[in-house]
Amino acid sequence: MPGLLLGDVFPNFEADTTIGRIKFHDFLGSSWGVLFSHPKDFTPVCTTELACAAKVSDEFKKRGVKMIALSIDSVEDHHNWSKDVMAVSSSTAKTLPFPIIADHNRALSIELGMLDPDERDSDGLPLTARCVFVIGPDKKMKLSILYPATTGRNFDELLRVIDSLQLTAQKKVATPVDWKLGDKVMVIPSLSDAEAAALFPNGVTTKEVPSGKNYLRYTQP
Ligand code: BEZ
């Protein structure tokens, strides 16, 4: 993903979407945001992803995260495709609960480095990869994930990651492998033991290791 790095201010692009023309920062307001791209409308993996995204949209809402999808077809195609998506989704919503950006000329996909050179449409033009960008309330990019068109994403994993991003934005902790909300977290290495003891009233436990170094420090946030 050339050009855009973690911590960069996400571009304040303008785009046509299924809810009309938007300016991205205005769309986000003071919320967190997740933008996820799709190779093409009316394709099988994308349809399963959007159907799942619709089903779990309340979980994103609970976390204060605005969702927006992108695909390289027109707004009209997006509206028609959304009907298929909702027909196969087990969401209780009647219509797709988030907008889809129409990037029919691929301008945004090029700007954000989202094209997958290995996947092409019938005219030989590259399709969009499966990118995920999580944007913080400060409009800075907090996470990016890039999957090829042939591999669908896992929206439970996105929610898990967002839980980690939101927690670690507030507290001087890091989340270990397979962490889930409610699990113990790790004290970040830059904190001294004295600072950690002062910051974490639930206490800090240290796992002993052969090196004798006290770096595996856990706390309940
Ligand atoms: C799909 O969504 O199923 C798909 C789209 C482009 C290439 C491969 C799969």
Side-chain angles (χ1 to χ4, degrees):
M1 199 197 51
L4 201 55
L5 301 174
L6 294 184
D8 284 352
V9 173
F10 205 83
N12 188 17
F13 60 82
E14 280 192 47
D16 291 322
T17 79
T18 48
I19 55 164
R21 192 148 182 91
I22 61 156
K23 252 193 134 180
F24 190 52
H25 289 190
D26 295 341
F27 167 77
L28 291 176
S30 57
S31 300
W32 286 73
V34 62
L35 189 163
F36 44 101
S37 62
H38 294 274
K40 189 121 190 76
D41 294 9
F42 305 105
T43 51
V45 176
C46 295
T47 302
T48 62
E49 286 189 321
L50 275 196
C52 177
K55 185 177 134 201
V56 298
S57 63
D58 282 348
E59 290 297 320
F60 284 85
K61 203 172 184 180
K62 253 197 243 169
R63 290 160 174 82
V65 182
K66 282 196 164 179
M67 305 170 81
I68 190 161
L70 176 149
S71 180
I72 53 173
D73 293 291
S74 65
V75 167
E76 191 187 354
D77 282 338
H78 289 349
H79 280 304
N80 288 328
W81 181 35
S82 298
K83 290 179 198 151
D84 289 358
V85 168
M86 293 314 284
V88 298
S89 175
S90 46
S91 165
T92 50
K94 285 206 164 35
T95 55
L96 195 69
F98 49 82
I100 311 177
I101 297 168
D103 194 29
H104 36 93
N105 59 9
R106 292 170 169 74
L108 196 51
S109 297
I110 292 168
E111 181 182 346
L112 298 177
M114 298 193 295
L115 291 182
D116 180 349
D118 285 343
E119 293 295 339
R120 293 178 182 265
D121 66 12
S122 49
D123 298 323
L125 294 171
L127 299 175
T128 324
R130 299 185 194 282
C131 299
V132 182
F133 301 114
V134 177
I135 301 107
D138 57 2
K139 312 288 184 290
K140 290 185 179 168
M141 190 166 81
K142 306 298 181 188
L143 174 112
S144 74
I145 302 177
L146 181 56
Y147 281 33
T150 41
T151 303
R153 291 155 287 195
N154 181 318
F155 281 78
D156 285 338
E157 169 62 3
L158 292 186
L159 288 166
R160 190 192 74 85
V161 162
I162 285 167
D163 285 338
S164 171
L165 292 172
Q166 294 187 333
L167 176 67
T168 57
Q170 298 296 325
K171 301 196 172 176
K172 292 191 174 195
V173 297
T175 61
V177 62
D178 292 340
W179 173 89
K180 295 181 304 306
L181 204 58
D183 289 353
K184 282 190 172 176
V185 297
M186 311 200 81
V187 176
I188 53 172
S190 58
L191 279 188
S192 69
D193 286 344
E195 287 169 325
L199 268 180
F200 303 116
N202 293 329
V204 175
T205 52
T206 304
K207 191 167 173 52
E208 285 181 21
V209 284
S211 68
K213 297 181 192 290
N214 292 338
Y215 61 94
L216 286 178
R217 298 177 298 173
Y218 291 86
T219 188
Q220 193 71 54

